[in-house]
Amino acid sequence: QVQLVESGGGLVQAGGSLRLSCAASGRILNNNIMGWYRQASGKQRELVATITSYKYPTYADSVKGRFTISRDNAKDTVYLQMNDLEPEDTAVYYCNARNRDPRNTPTDNFWGQGTQVTVTS
C-alpha cells in the first residue's frame, strides 16, 4: 500500500498562485509515476500533470505554461506550482501514484484524499 498526503489547497483570486504538495509513504518503488488530477463539480476527473521518477513531466493542454510539476525523490514528494490561476481551475485536486515494472507498465494505483482549490474572479 502507498499512502498519499496532500496539502496546499485553498482560496485564491484569479491570476494568483498556489503550490500543492503530496508526500508518499509506504510501498513506493524507485520506478514510479506521480501526478495530479482534478475533478470539478459535475465533471469527470481529469489529468493535470504527471512526472516520472526520472523527472519526465507531462501536462494537460489547459495548464501548459501556467503549472509546473516537480518532485523530490529523496522525500517521495511531488509538487504542483500553479500560477496565473483561472476560475476554470477550481476543482478538487487529487494526488496519484503508480509503481511501475521494468517495462514502465503501472502495477498499481493509489489516490490521495484530495484538496480543494477555489479560484475567484
Side-chain angles (χ1 to χ4, degrees), residues 6-7 15 21 30-32 35 49 51 56-57 61 65 68 78 80 92 95-96 104-105 111 114:
E6 301 136 329
S7 61
S21 299
N30 288 335
N31 185 5
N32 62 74
I51 186 167
Y56 181 82
D61 287 342
T68 302
V78 63
L80 186 68
V92 178
C95 181
N96 176 262
N104 292 332
T105 300
W111 294 95

Side-chain angles (χ1 to χ4, degrees), residues 87-108:
E88 293 73 23
D89 296 316
T90 295
V92 178
Y93 284 69
Y94 295 92
C95 181
N96 176 262
R98 290 171 283 168
N99 289 310
R100 304 194 298 178
D101 67 16
R103 290 184 291 182
N104 292 332
T105 300
T107 57
D108 48 32

Side-chain angles (χ1 to χ4, degrees), residues 6-76:
E6 301 136 329
S7 61
L11 177 69
V12 65
Q13 288 188 328
S17 299
L18 283 174
R19 188 189 193 212
L20 305 182
S21 299
C22 174
S25 62
R27 195 176 172 274
I28 189 79
L29 303 180
N30 288 335
N31 185 5
N32 62 74
I33 182 167
M34 296 183 69
W36 294 93
Y37 291 71
R38 67 187 181 187
Q39 188 166 16
S41 181
K43 295 187 177 181
Q44 290 189 330
R45 192 172 298 189
E46 63 177 7
L47 168 72
V48 177
T50 63
I51 186 167
T52 71
S53 47
Y54 306 106
K55 299 189 177 181
Y56 181 82
T58 60
Y59 296 96
D61 287 342
S62 59
V63 306
K64 282 181 181 177
R66 300 187 299 121
F67 291 10
T68 302
I69 191 168
S70 62
R71 64 186 292 162
D72 183 338
N73 286 341
K75 298 180 179 180
D76 286 328

